[in-house]
Amino acid sequence: MSESSLDPIDSLVSPRFSDPATFFRTPWLRDGSAFDIALLGVPFDFSSNRAGTRHGPAEVREMSRLIRRFNSDGGASPFDQCRIADLGDVPVIPVDITRSVASIVKHIERIAASGATTVCVGGDHGVTYPVIKGLGWKQPLGIVHFDAHPDTYPDAWGDRYNHGTLLRRLVEEGLIDPKRSVSVGIRGTRFCLDDRDYHRETGMRLISYDEFEEIGRARTIEIIREVIGNEPTYLTFDIDVLDPAYCVGTGAPEPGGLSMRDAQMIIRGFRGLNIVAGDVCEISPPLDITNHTALNGANLAFEILCLVADAVAKGKAKAGN
Amino acid sequence: MSESSLDPIDSLVSPRFSDPATFFRTPWLRDGSAFDIALLGVPFDFSSNRAGTRHGPAEVREMSRLIRRFNSDGGASPFDQCRIADLGDVPVIPVDITRSVASIVKHIERIAASGATTVCVGGDHGVTYPVIKGLGWKQPLGIVHFDAHPDTYPDAWGDRYNHGTLLRRLVEEGLIDPKRSVSVGIRGTRFCLDDRDYHRETGMRLISYDEFEEIGRARTIEIIREVIGNEPTYLTFDIDVLDPAYCVGTGAPEPGGLSMRDAQMIIRGFRGLNIVAGDVCEISPPLDITNHTALNGANLAFEILCLVADAVAKGKAKAGN
Amino acid sequence: MSESSLDPIDSLVSPRFSDPATFFRTPWLRDGSAFDIALLGVPFDFSSNRAGTRHGPAEVREMSRLIRRFNSDGGASPFDQCRIADLGDVPVIPVDITRSVASIVKHIERIAASGATTVCVGGDHGVTYPVIKGLGWKQPLGIVHFDAHPDTYPDAWGDRYNHGTLLRRLVEEGLIDPKRSVSVGIRGTRFCLDDRDYHRETGMRLISYDEFEEIGRARTIEIIREVIGNEPTYLTFDIDVLDPAYCVGTGAPEPGGLSMRDAQMIIRGFRGLNIVAGDVCEISPPLDITNHTALNGANLAFEILCLVADAVAKGKAKAGN
Amino acid sequence: MSESSLDPIDSLVSPRFSDPATFFRTPWLRDGSAFDIALLGVPFDFSSNRAGTRHGPAEVREMSRLIRRFNSDGGASPFDQCRIADLGDVPVIPVDITRSVASIVKHIERIAASGATTVCVGGDHGVTYPVIKGLGWKQPLGIVHFDAHPDTYPDAWGDRYNHGTLLRRLVEEGLIDPKRSVSVGIRGTRFCLDDRDYHRETGMRLISYDEFEEIGRARTIEIIREVIGNEPTYLTFDIDVLDPAYCVGTGAPEPGGLSMRDAQMIIRGFRGLNIVAGDVCEISPPLDITNHTALNGANLAFEILCLVADAVAKGKAKAGN
Amino acid sequence: MSESSLDPIDSLVSPRFSDPATFFRTPWLRDGSAFDIALLGVPFDFSSNRAGTRHGPAEVREMSRLIRRFNSDGGASPFDQCRIADLGDVPVIPVDITRSVASIVKHIERIAASGATTVCVGGDHGVTYPVIKGLGWKQPLGIVHFDAHPDTYPDAWGDRYNHGTLLRRLVEEGLIDPKRSVSVGIRGTRFCLDDRDYHRETGMRLISYDEFEEIGRARTIEIIREVIGNEPTYLTFDIDVLDPAYCVGTGAPEPGGLSMRDAQMIIRGFRGLNIVAGDVCEISPPLDITNHTALNGANLAFEILCLVADAVAKGKAKAGN
Amino acid sequence: MSESSLDPIDSLVSPRFSDPATFFRTPWLRDGSAFDIALLGVPFDFSSNRAGTRHGPAEVREMSRLIRRFNSDGGASPFDQCRIADLGDVPVIPVDITRSVASIVKHIERIAASGATTVCVGGDHGVTYPVIKGLGWKQPLGIVHFDAHPDTYPDAWGDRYNHGTLLRRLVEEGLIDPKRSVSVGIRGTRFCLDDRDYHRETGMRLISYDEFEEIGRARTIEIIREVIGNEPTYLTFDIDVLDPAYCVGTGAPEPGGLSMRDAQMIIRGFRGLNIVAGDVCEISPPLDITNHTALNGANLAFEILCLVADAVAKGKAKAGN
């Protein structure tokens, strides 16, 4: 493990199958070290049905061996733009939502306090709430929310914090600004027909998959750019926004979703925006026999990292914000 | 198991992994009960190559736990529109085509006699012939036939009833009206170049995948609506009409096919037509290691159920027809 | 679904792949019905590491299609001895240990109150405590505990109820009599060397795998019979007591364990004892790609059912005990 | 493909992953050629439950790449003792038991007529009857029958020929001599308790797994040698006689069976007997995700081949017998 | 094995699961025989990361059982146009690049010397260089190169011959004409940003996936037709040009690629060009648990075969060229 | 990652699924640090058939999360006896045997020079030769060699260094003392019958599986202890010595081998001997779909580590030896 430098292991020198797996082969550091972006696992299952996302960070680390230094779009390498390291996993308490949420908040707070920001890999989508809370921005963040599901239930099984309630919690607690929020890709069978009302009531923009298909990628990017503007924004990517052909290893797959190309191109369309932190969630390795979902998750985490590194390089995502 | 009501188990109360798996968590009933639509497995392999579809109903039931109460398109819930139940599987005699065909016909006849209609899950595509025969409509039905293959062979291995001969049998026996029939998605390598002649000769409309790609979804829906009109129509969905990226667990996968989104949108485009019954076939669980094919099959069965429930609700699919 | 009789579906008449899967193809009943033994799923993961056992009941039901009416040892068929039915799954609240334990206790109490006893399929081993509590025997039960692990931790992650604490809880609360308790098969790497002290201190007999190998099956059976005597006894089988060659689909596999033959023969060696209820736990279908673990779980559940049916038939396991 | 010689491809010269897979890398010949032992696939599923054995010959061929020239026991190489070739698969008619049985009989007859004998790979156990019939010995053969199930049902689903009826058919038609017949390894749950009566009534020796465990391998071999003597004998190996830890890819796995070592040692114990032909059946590749069952099947086919080659070399298995 | 004719086995007479697997069920011949197109496996892994492509030919043979006699586009059957046979695998020396390259060159030379041309299945992409060299065309060939990666590294790990250097080697050695070369589908994260310079410097046309998406299939075909003209051209297809949804079983999958439909339609768009030989590479069966990648590889090999057969039938691909 | 201490991460504090995977959750160190035993991956495939062992270290690290601090036998914890760390992987050059052998030797030399010894995870069995050479003991070591194959070929494919030649190389170069060498578990089909002659000629003790079964575990341990005495000895464990029921994910599985219990008990029987270093080889993750082989490999590596830690603690395995 290289400690003198924060460069990832060079896969042209050391074969990609070598050494313990860290995110993108970056050095594994303690949080006392100097770095700009912490890559973190948040291995917690809030899931009410098919679980296994607690193993997500491990499998995404493994598949991230395949990622190279530069984005396909020819932009600067994030590893040239800032200091990036694998900070290991956020401590959680198995099968205990309350204590795990508190632990995640606290751990992220400590990292933010050191002046760094985060790109996280879940765990399921319940982890986004405590991560954003822990980042502790003084102003509400905008959010770009990729998901098949609206995630605005008032509660689930009597719990306020869950992989289906996060967006509502974030709005209620003033952590995100609903006027600067967009949910993309919503679709799938529904428990009730008013499941999109909370978006409407609070002014969050919802681009269902139906609308996305109608307006296309370019217009979708345009709308999102208009909504979130240049203010600090969080990007959260629930892997189930993809068609199950790209994410069979997830808890609630919904046929008829985005392709990986769609996802990559929309995210690349955010270059220049102020994406200060982000996450990829809901990858469940026990359901991902071919590792395809984790491969996609690793690639998406890299796309998000490129955006966050841009923001950091421009001083936009500086901690103490 | 709820017997006092025909509602599916509520997955917001009882977690989706709970209890024996029935189609969409509907109650499992005996055929003496009062219901409008019977969800039925027809677990028979006529297949001449890769088998395993006899296990299709079991795996589709299992994956149908993920389906919720309402369609993504915001239409009425079928479970609000009519009484829907899982009637178990149609009796078959393993490895005996003749007796199984007879048994399927007879069993469906009994259900139809009670005034109900059916949505079936195969089994391979050979099951469609005896199901339609058993439904016993006085007039020939129209048919919408999703498939990579034309299914119009005169016979196979000396057998008249097979997963490659069904359409010819249905026409020959006057069970479907070729003028009100459309096959969609035909493609793949071919045993002979005259394999589409029977369609032409009898006047069945064939929209090959090549044509589909050229004309697009909207025009495809339009053509189908024109062909079948408002008369009673059967919808049969051979899962292999999809690209194998969506149905690797099937016997005769043909690369270059429909996406799940295509399939969902075309089927939703039939809202308002008179789809009186339907089936999803050719899901082979032993070949479906990731359960992705069965997941898609469950979703497609739900889309078909929504159409049939509409027809039933409007009194169109009434038995004794 | 047969409701007029409690016989399982006859697999010589209806092929084994047909119809929704219930335990051993028994009828799925509501708990108001008259029956002697309830087959129940208890789909809860207390697990601190690899989860997925919430899906155990579904997969064991599916694989139990392969079980026939009589035990290999030629004893009476349990289905001839008493009324046996699948009562569905015990209600649980996902990711909430406290409420799920309470719910399990209450649900089992209601079944016991109707005069029936239970054979349960987990879920992980944490379910055994609330099941035994719910059975509500007036006297402490003996226990035969098959497991690779002693399960006597004082707590785990601050929780008293967990898949590693159950035996201690049962002793502390007077639900089992440590003098009439045997743990068999203990082995595997250890967090600490005093992990077997609680057994010694309370007088529970521990037959490690090392001892088992030394003394053999016959002597093991003899010892267990001596310890538990003829008083009412619960049999709990953690699938991980088997070598992982027989249970790769479990959360904490420990190489070097029992074979299925060992397990079958030891359990058959209990014929004539007073085994009043039992369970099989820790089968995790997402980790069980070949279904081998669930196959073994179904067979073991049948072996236990044979013992419980014997006890019921002799009036020993009668509720109101 | 070497035609000038019947030697298998030399894996020390041509890597084992090379070239189309034939049994043990032997040349693939037409049946007009000169050879002593035909290796044949018989790809037919009679199965009443989980099918897929039609793909058995292909997967066993693939895994047989791993087999080397000499048996582990140091005996002569069969490829030195006689001319051995892969004769491809016996023609069958999918999903048609009657015609397939006739076709198998006829095809084997033609091979036998050329003076050769056979080692076959199923298909399921139903193939043994037509193979033995086709071999056309003038005297009834003895049989060593490895199986978890007695296979003596009078019929199944109204069919006389099935994977559960073969032994009864063979006795009834005088193709095997019940006094020179042994079934080994019988166990598993049972449809009825008189399922072993036919053995007793006809004088076939049945060594259940229970008895096998009690008497051990050496005594088992001794008994079998006593029963079958030096007269011509057929060896049929249903892979499900093994514990499912060795054969998860089969239709009716029964926990608590033979290990591969048991099977290998018992078969090796037959050296010197007059084993004139044999088969391995019930390998279902779609259920054999890890290829473990086919690996074992290939090794067992090789053990049987060694015995048959011995007999051929001694002139005992000569055709026109 | 039929030698009197070069027709593939007729799957309407002999079921597709029967007999040893050869490419498209063609006869397996020695290279002394008369044939026009040799189907060959080249089972060698040059791979620097995830290997397994040595098993590619075996699995593609197996999946090619599903291919029928005619292309979906209704063109002539290649099997009617020329004599096509499976010539087995090219000899390689495991884990020895230098000797294997020499052996492949020599083996292909011998086949070319007999007047035949080749359609090969890898192995990884390193095999294309020795195959083209062995074909020994007097003039440099054009090349159509489907790939996610440019494959123009100067060397890899100190080796000149590798799956990432082939295009540079072919240009350097005058085996292909860079002015008549097109690479299609390039994308994915990058080791460096000048990885596409060699294309520009030598005048090879590079159509990145980004460009492909912008210009569409029809224009892509047009450009390729313009670049390669009517002169002899080689078609090499690295399966990783597809999105991993179509090729999870490959060493370096890159999300966001071609669909199978794209690939099929572009290749069909070459009808009439002078495609004299071709290959499909980088299928790694151990990573291809569902066999989906090999299914696609078999279909693509068939598409390429159709083009080569056209060229051969027109006398364009004649050996001694 | 803890750097202040060499303790593994405490799985009772940080859940086992957390953080990057290192061997037994030990800290990942650079070789400049102070430690006594280096845990190392050696990710190289020399294999002539089924490869994939280059990914062995990664998967064994992942499965080693399940290992706890103490051995089942109640001995001291290796982590209490000495300083143990994960030193990452030894550098190799993909598909280049000569340079990789040199690189491995050099890397191990540097570790040995620091006074530490090694426990390695392959890679295939070819790695044992350069590891022992690199350790640089002044006296020839004894060796305990668990394997299904004798590994004494003179060469393979023209290479001297290979996974089938290592034992011969080690003897020839005086790195091991044949009089203090034992091979255990040899069996399987054979390329030739003189494959065990080299053992006899050089005086290496060979305990075939046949002999092992005859003499039993206790006598096997006794013989090995007699042969190797108290002098420094290397323990190499080729996972294929196990029956494939325990190691389906390996390149050359041979039915009829050791159980994990056998292996564990024999290794534990070496407590007190002077086992100065060791390795576990031939785990191929792409063939190990259920992770069972890697689970066993991790457990065996732990057993070996316990022996080496004992030797280190007693000052026996000190470097500069």
Side-chain angles (χ1 to χ4, degrees), chain B residues 1-4 9 13 15 17-22 28-30 43 54-55 58 61-62 65 86-90 92 94 289, chain C residues 1-4 9 13 15 17-22 28-30 43 54-55 58 61-62 65 86-90 92 94 289:
Chain B
M1 195 195 62
S2 167
E3 283 169 291
S4 52
I9 295 172
V13 171
F17 45 74
S18 294
D19 287 333
T22 57
W28 180 14
L29 293 190
R30 325 200 53 172
R54 62 184 73 176
H55 305 289
R61 281 190 178 95
E62 186 61 32
R65 295 176 185 273
D86 188 324
L87 270 284
D89 281 8
V90 174
V92 297
I289 298 173
Chain C
M1 191 196 65
S2 168
E3 281 170 292
S4 52
I9 295 172
V13 171
F17 45 75
S18 294
D19 288 332
T22 57
W28 180 14
L29 293 189
R30 322 201 57 174
R54 63 184 73 176
H55 305 289
R61 280 189 178 95
E62 185 60 34
R65 295 175 185 273
D86 188 324
L87 270 284
D89 281 7
V90 175
V92 296
I289 297 173

Side-chain angles (χ1 to χ4, degrees), chain E residues 44-51 54-55 92-97 99 157-159 286-287 289, chain F residues 44-51 54-55 92-97 99 157-159 286-287 289:
Chain E
F44 195 79
D45 286 295
F46 298 74
S47 174
S48 54
N49 186 14
R50 307 198 303 173
R54 62 185 70 179
H55 305 290
V92 296
I93 297 89
V95 201
D96 191 314
I97 289 176
R99 287 188 287 159
W157 308 100
D159 273 311
L287 302 172
I289 297 173
Chain F
F44 195 80
D45 286 295
F46 298 74
S47 174
S48 55
N49 186 14
R50 308 197 304 174
R54 63 186 70 177
H55 304 290
V92 296
I93 297 90
V95 202
D96 191 315
I97 289 176
R99 287 188 287 160
W157 310 99
D159 273 312
L287 303 172
I289 297 173

Side-chain angles (χ1 to χ4, degrees), chain D:
Chain D
M1 188 196 69
S2 170
E3 280 169 294
S4 52
S5 143
L6 288 187
D7 250 18
I9 295 173
D10 184 344
S11 296
L12 294 172
V13 172
S14 167
R16 291 192 258 183
F17 45 76
S18 294
D19 287 334
T22 57
F23 289 122
F24 313 118
R25 309 192 76 190
T26 55
W28 180 13
L29 293 189
R30 320 200 56 168
D31 55 23
S33 312
F35 54 84
D36 303 307
I37 303 176
L39 303 169
L40 283 158
V42 195
F44 195 80
D45 287 296
F46 298 74
S47 174
S48 55
N49 185 13
R50 308 196 305 171
T53 62
R54 62 184 72 180
H55 305 289
E59 198 192 2
V60 171
R61 281 188 178 96
E62 186 60 33
M63 295 310 287
S64 76
R65 296 174 185 273
L66 291 171
I67 308 290
R68 302 177 195 80
R69 194 176 178 84
F70 292 90
N71 193 300
S72 183
D73 70 5
S77 167
F79 308 107
D80 292 332
Q81 293 176 292
C82 36
R83 293 167 301 172
I84 300 167
D86 188 324
L87 270 285
D89 281 7
V90 175
V92 297
I93 296 89
V95 202
D96 190 314
I97 288 176
T98 309
R99 286 188 289 159
S100 293
V101 164
S103 172
I104 298 166
V105 171
K106 191 173 149 196
H107 193 83
I108 300 290
E109 281 175 349
R110 207 167 56 206
I111 284 174
S114 77
T117 190
T118 61
V119 173
C120 294
V121 172
D124 72 25
H125 217 168
V127 312
T128 299
Y129 162 78
V131 167
I132 290 179
K133 183 161 185 181
L135 286 171
W137 282 75
K138 297 204 181 83
Q139 64 180 115
L141 296 174
I143 197 164
V144 187
H145 169 233
F146 289 87
D147 206 326
H149 313 97
D151 288 357
T152 51
Y153 283 104
D155 59 61
W157 309 99
D159 274 311
R160 288 175 52 77
Y161 304 107
N162 178 272
H163 71 147
T165 65
L166 65 119
L167 222 53
R168 187 182 284 251
R169 279 306 88 74
L170 287 165
V171 169
E172 286 173 353
E173 303 194 14
L175 295 166
I176 65 166
D177 175 358
K179 306 299 182 222
R180 293 188 48 253
S181 298
V182 194
S183 294
V184 189
I186 311 304
R187 67 184 188 283
T189 58
R190 303 157 79 169
F191 285 125
C192 54
L193 290 182
D194 58 7
D195 56 356
R196 298 172 186 178
D197 288 359
Y198 191 75
H199 274 82
R200 197 169 32 73
E201 290 162 11
T202 58
M204 291 188 286
R205 183 69 160 92
L206 185 153
I207 302 174
S208 69
Y209 189 85
D210 286 345
E211 181 178 355
F212 164 72
E213 196 177 68
E214 196 183 310
I215 64 179
R217 270 190 226 149
R219 179 65 191 135
T220 297
I221 293 168
E222 213 171 60
I223 290 173
I224 296 173
R225 296 187 75 110
E226 288 164 12
V227 170
I228 68 170
N230 287 312
E231 294 302 297
T233 298
Y234 190 90
L235 194 165
T236 183
F237 197 99
D238 183 327
I239 201 87
D240 70 20
V241 76
L242 301 174
D243 189 277
Y246 304 89
C247 67
V248 76
T250 194
E254 303 292 350
L258 294 184
S259 69
M260 269 300 286
R261 179 69 181 171
D262 290 332
Q264 290 171 311
M265 292 305 282
I266 297 173
I267 297 176
R268 287 178 199 158
F270 299 159
R271 285 268 184 178
L273 293 182
N274 191 1
I275 305 296
V276 299
D279 63 51
V280 178
C281 292
E282 298 282 1
I283 297 156
S284 177
L287 302 173
D288 190 30
I289 297 174
T290 62
N291 299 319
H292 185 199
T293 311
L295 168 73
N296 287 338
N299 274 276
L300 290 162
F302 183 73
E303 297 286 351
I304 294 170
L305 176 62
C306 289
L307 297 183
V308 175
D310 272 357
V312 168
K314 291 175 184 154
K316 290 179 175 169
K318 200 170 163 295
N321 25 64

Side-chain angles (χ1 to χ4, degrees), chain B residues 9-80:
Chain B
I9 295 172
D10 184 344
S11 296
L12 294 173
V13 171
S14 167
R16 292 194 259 182
F17 45 74
S18 294
D19 287 333
T22 57
F23 290 120
F24 314 118
R25 311 191 76 189
T26 54
W28 180 14
L29 293 190
R30 325 200 53 172
D31 54 23
S33 311
F35 53 86
D36 303 305
I37 302 176
L39 303 169
L40 282 159
V42 195
F44 194 80
D45 287 294
F46 298 74
S47 174
S48 55
N49 185 13
R50 308 198 301 174
T53 61
R54 62 184 73 176
H55 305 289
E59 198 193 1
V60 172
R61 281 190 178 95
E62 186 61 32
M63 295 309 287
S64 76
R65 295 176 185 273
L66 291 171
I67 307 291
R68 301 176 196 81
R69 192 175 179 85
F70 293 89
N71 193 301
S72 183
D73 69 6
S77 169
F79 307 109
D80 292 332

Side-chain angles (χ1 to χ4, degrees), chain C residues 37-40 42 117-122 128 131-132 135 144 233-237 275-281 301 304-305 308:
Chain C
I37 303 176
L39 303 169
L40 282 159
V42 195
T117 189
T118 62
V119 173
C120 293
V121 172
T128 301
V131 167
I132 290 179
L135 285 172
V144 187
T233 298
Y234 190 90
L235 195 165
T236 181
F237 197 98
I275 306 295
V276 299
D279 64 52
V280 178
C281 291
I304 295 170
L305 176 62
V308 175

